[in-house]
Amino acid sequence: MTRYPDIPKPIRSGMVVVDPDTGTPQRIIVLQFNPDTLERSVSPQSAGDSGDAGGGGTGSGDRNEALRLKGPAQETWKFTAEIDATDQLEVAAPEGIHPQLATLEMLVQPTTAQLRESMRLSKQGAIEISPIEMPLTLFTWGSKRVMPVRLTELSVNESAFDVRLNPIRASLSIGMRILTVSDLPAGHRGADLYMAHLAQKERLAGAARVGGGLGSLGLSGTLGGTGRG
């Protein structure tokens, strides 16, 4: 049998549910297949955005705010993941892919214990019940993209079933929003992980090759003007 020892084993993308206090992984979700495409959107948090108190960018606000940022950019990710029990027949699947689907759905669901505790406090007449806090979820796409996220969309299309009507094949549309230091309290483990993610992005940007000087853009000299005709 011919072997190719030099071919690296592909890294899988996935999610890690982490205890924010101890940093201990509570659950690891490895995507069966890496998505073929990723849709990413990065929106800067400009101080001069319309609707902001500064009113910059419309010609009627404080011009000093035009180049200022209020915080980290808001970044969202969207992709389609596939789960197929027939592609791994060596793994027993008496319940089809129910367990895999349930694991993903529990990323956006409180547990029964949390709901019972909330109902107990309500019956005791608690004036204010704090919203249920979910575990910290990290999305990993290789070693250079590990970031805290909140799922904003989970759409499941089940397309095949076994004789007991257990789903055995499904396509999932997953949307996520990266959590930044603007979303998390100071000292939160997720905030530290975001800072590490941003530092990695800065390092990669610093490693980019410069594609020529001003001459390649048809410019020369220094970029400065008096603003006078």
Side-chain angles (χ1 to χ4, degrees):
M1 184 175 72
T2 304
R3 296 184 178 181
Y4 301 94
D6 295 333
I7 298 178
K9 184 178 180 180
I11 295 176
R12 299 289 181 85
S13 56
M15 301 178 191
V16 183
V17 180
V18 178
D19 185 313
D21 296 324
T22 64
T24 304
Q26 297 179 325
R27 216 175 315 150
I28 299 175
I29 303 170
V30 180
L31 297 183
Q32 185 178 357
F33 309 104
N34 286 333
D36 292 328
T37 61
L38 292 173
E39 180 183 344
R40 300 172 51 230
S41 174
V42 183
S43 303
Q45 296 300 296
S46 303
D49 284 344
S50 59
D52 184 77
T58 62
S60 60
D62 187 351
R63 297 177 184 177
N64 293 325
E65 301 295 316
L67 299 179
R68 296 185 184 275
L69 296 174
K70 294 185 292 186
Q74 292 184 348
E75 184 172 353
T76 59
W77 289 47
K78 289 184 180 180
F79 60 87
T80 299
E82 306 287 340
I83 304 178
D84 191 345
T86 63
D87 191 69
Q88 44 186 5
L89 296 176
E90 71 281 2
V91 180
E95 297 178 317
I97 58 173
H98 270 309
Q100 293 94 319
L101 294 177
T103 300
L104 287 168
E105 290 175 30
M106 286 308 299
L107 295 177
V108 294
Q109 293 271 19
T111 64
T112 54
Q114 290 172 321
L115 289 174
R116 288 194 181 102
E117 177 63 14
S118 180
M119 290 187 289
R120 184 186 67 82
L121 293 173
S122 179
K123 288 181 180 179
Q124 290 181 350
I127 297 177
E128 183 178 355
I129 301 176
S130 299
I132 296 172
E133 181 174 355
M134 300 299 291
L136 175 64
T137 301
L138 306 179
F139 179 66
T140 69
W141 186 271
S143 61
K144 295 179 177 61
R145 288 173 169 174
V146 180
M147 50 220 155
V149 298
R150 179 178 65 213
L151 263 66
T152 57
E153 175 187 341
L154 179 59
S155 177
V156 182
N157 181 12
E158 300 175 3
S159 56
F161 306 86
D162 63 15
V163 294
R164 295 181 177 83
L165 292 184
N166 293 312
I168 58 175
R169 185 184 305 123
S171 174
L172 301 95
S173 296
I174 298 176
M176 304 177 302
R177 180 175 180 272
I178 295 180
L179 298 177
T180 72
V181 291
S182 298
D183 302 306
L184 299 164
H188 193 282
R189 190 174 299 273
D192 294 337
L193 288 165
Y194 172 76
M195 291 295 286
H197 167 65
L198 187 59
Q200 176 72 279
K201 197 180 293 284
E202 291 174 351
R203 187 190 69 78
L204 292 172
R209 295 183 178 180
V210 178
L214 289 175
S216 61
L217 301 175
L219 304 173
S220 60
T222 59
L223 296 180
T226 62
R228 299 175 183 176

